[in-house]
Amino acid sequence: MSGESGKALTREQWGSRVGFILAAAGSAIGLGNVWRFPYLVGEYGGAIFVLIYLLINVFIGLPVMLAEFSIGRAAQKSPVGAFRALSVSPLWSVIGWLGTLTGGFLVLSYYNVIGGWTIRYMIESLIGLMDLAAEGKSEEFFLSFISVRHQVVAYQALFLASTMFFVASGIGKGIERACKFMMPALFIILLILIFRSLTLPGAGAGLEFYLMPDLSKLNGKSVLAALGQSFFSLSLGLGIMLTYGSYLGREERIPSAATWTAVLDTLIALLSGFAIFPAVFAMGLKPGAGPGLTFITLPAVFAEMPMGMFFSFLFFLFLFFAAVTSSMSLMEVSTTFAIEKFKLKRSDAVWLMGVIIFLLGGYSAISLAGDPKVAGKDFLDAVDYFCNNICLPLGSFLVCLFVGWFWLEPALKELSNDGTLEARWWLKVWIWCVRVVAPIAILIIFLNETGLLTTLDAWLSR
Ligand code: PFF
């Protein structure tokens, strides 16, 4: 046994399977479920988007997650090292680099901005938010908040500082453990919200929007958005789930851990939609309001509830923690990178990366007031688009190619725990998904949306 694999055996492992699922779900469940999913559903035509999203989660998202967990557990390393260790060609470690730059810097930079909103809303819940929302002014409140740059930046800084503190002090694990209670609490408040939302007069139109697919709304843009959202929400394509997999014990079952993570994540997203859309229609708000949708709609629902202030505060508090466990998983990537690359102490690495991420995120924060813009989008939207519609699909595409075509046998061993788990039909389905369905689907969706498919078609039919 080489020294390296000897070391690998002593790598710290999750205490239990539940601990592992909680950590992976902690990274997966966050703003993506409560903030991003509903506003995309609203923007891309409702139920049809939900349907495509679910199909993508099952046939692309889950298979990619299984692949990332397998690579991680087999290599027992962080992404760049894992691809180096498992493949003969150093080219595959590009996936690790892509993940580090995209996740550890770009995604994290604007994630902090939205995370900051949760803090502002938590505080405002206790002061004037409910009164404003009761007067139908929650949209006005949101728009005036994001137009005051120094406020958005201040809350961004506060959220980033919390993430940095948890990552640097090593109490991140404690926070993850605390989420054992907070996630169910978030879940319960969501259920209460759904009840209130569904019982508002006129809620039916919202349910119809959310549940009755309108095929005419289907287009390349919505499919690409659903694809990106699947990867974003499940934390895929950045090597993060790969890293989590590297801490998974040999006797644990990857398929059940991945399925649990994906199901919990999807459930929270779907529930958020049930809380939001009936209320949007009942209150005459706009489903296509964009990134503010959740923050505009939910205070209005809380204002219609007994003890609304209390529930609103708790909701944004739990959402803050859900967001922090996700941003911790992202910050871990940049921190590890700085520790390894520049041989820094953990706390110094967190400081250095924190400053860079703050500056980068600052552009996103101030862009909400109108500029800077990139290609006609707010800077925040542009970074979000670039990460979710280009980098994450690309990372996942490469993971599928690697596992499906160059590393299939070892992956099957990982997934079946060296053949001790009964190899059932799902392994065959997984092989198809990871070799054929996922890579081809990602490629077509991507080429179609970027216009390259039309160019290719024109070229071929010359
Ligand atoms: N999955 C997180 C969410 O839905 O909020 C965000 C995220 C975390 C994306 C980690 C990507 C990632 F690697």
Side-chain angles (χ1 to χ4, degrees), residues 421-449:
L421 293 183
E422 205 184 317
R424 274 174 284 192
W425 54 269
W426 54 260
L427 264 186
K428 294 206 181 82
V429 177
W430 176 78
I431 295 175
W432 264 96
C433 286
V434 88
R435 295 191 91 173
V436 184
V437 179
I440 293 185
I442 296 173
L443 204 63
I444 294 180
I445 295 168
F446 184 72
L447 291 180
N448 180 39
E449 171 50 23

Side-chain angles (χ1 to χ4, degrees), residues 118-445:
T118 63
I119 304 183
R120 172 81 200 254
Y121 271 69
M122 199 159 75
I123 299 171
E124 285 293 332
S125 298
L126 296 178
I127 39 186
L129 184 61
M130 289 301 106
D131 297 337
L132 284 174
E135 290 166 28
K137 292 193 180 144
S138 62
E139 183 167 11
E140 255 176 79
F141 173 79
F142 174 77
L143 294 177
S144 69
F145 164 48
I146 61 167
S147 63
V148 185
R149 292 185 160 141
H150 67 268
Q151 281 186 10
V152 183
V153 172
Y155 284 101
Q156 171 214 357
L158 217 54
F159 186 88
L160 177 60
S162 325
T163 308
M164 287 165 62
F165 174 71
F166 296 142
V167 172
S169 65
I171 65 167
K173 281 262 169 304
I175 298 294
E176 267 169 17
R177 252 169 248 140
C179 280
K180 225 187 249 188
F181 304 102
M182 289 190 237
M183 295 285 187
L186 183 67
F187 177 80
I188 290 168
I189 298 192
L190 269 177
L191 291 184
I192 299 174
L193 264 171
I194 291 172
F195 178 75
R196 180 65 275 215
S197 184
L198 284 176
T199 49
L200 289 169
L207 265 190
E208 194 175 309
F209 177 79
Y210 192 47
L211 295 179
M212 305 292 283
D214 174 356
L215 277 178
S216 69
K217 303 252 170 71
L218 181 66
N219 58 43
K221 275 196 176 12
S222 54
V223 183
L224 180 66
L227 182 78
Q229 173 60 14
S230 170
F231 296 140
F232 182 80
S233 192
L234 296 170
S235 302
L236 298 173
L238 302 174
I240 286 188
M241 287 303 173
L242 185 157
T243 310
Y244 277 86
S246 73
Y247 296 102
L248 192 58
R250 292 233 54 92
E251 65 299 338
E252 302 297 351
R253 298 166 182 204
I254 291 179
S256 92
T259 309
W260 268 107
T261 309
V263 167
L264 289 175
D265 185 69
T266 310
L267 186 69
I268 298 287
L270 291 178
L271 291 181
S272 302
F274 276 110
I276 288 173
F277 290 105
V280 165
F281 282 77
M283 294 174 166
L285 298 167
K286 294 182 288 293
L293 186 68
T294 298
F295 290 83
I296 292 169
T297 313
L298 292 187
V301 185
F302 283 122
E304 293 286 318
M305 278 167 47
M307 298 199 299
M309 181 169 125
F310 168 74
F311 280 119
S312 177
F313 169 76
L314 284 184
F315 177 82
F316 287 109
L317 177 74
F318 297 140
L319 183 57
F320 164 78
F321 277 104
V324 157
T325 49
S326 303
S327 66
M328 275 166 23
S329 74
L330 290 164
M331 180 114 208
E332 198 58 52
V333 177
S334 28
T335 305
T336 316
F337 166 79
I339 293 175
E340 284 173 6
K341 208 68 212 146
F342 309 119
K343 310 272 172 286
L344 294 178
K345 276 204 326 235
R346 190 171 184 81
S347 54
D348 294 345
V350 168
W351 269 109
L352 177 66
M353 294 297 110
V355 170
I356 296 175
I357 290 156
F358 174 70
L359 295 176
L360 204 57
Y363 280 103
S364 292
I366 61 171
S367 75
L368 298 169
D371 57 277
K373 286 201 184 306
V374 180
K377 292 178 191 293
D378 295 340
F379 190 80
L380 187 149
D381 268 353
V383 181
D384 178 90
Y385 184 91
F386 177 69
C387 292
N388 294 309
N389 294 13
I390 297 176
C391 301
L392 270 59
L394 178 64
S396 302
F397 174 77
L398 294 175
V399 165
C400 289
L401 282 194
F402 174 72
V403 170
W405 296 94
F406 298 93
W407 196 71
L408 192 61
E409 282 307 313
L412 289 173
K413 271 191 174 170
E414 286 300 326
L415 289 180
S416 64
N417 283 7
D418 290 321
T420 56
L421 293 183
E422 205 184 317
R424 274 174 284 192
W425 54 269
W426 54 260
L427 264 186
K428 294 206 181 82
V429 177
W430 176 78
I431 295 175
W432 264 96
C433 286
V434 88
R435 295 191 91 173
V436 184
V437 179
I440 293 185
I442 296 173
L443 204 63
I444 294 180
I445 295 168

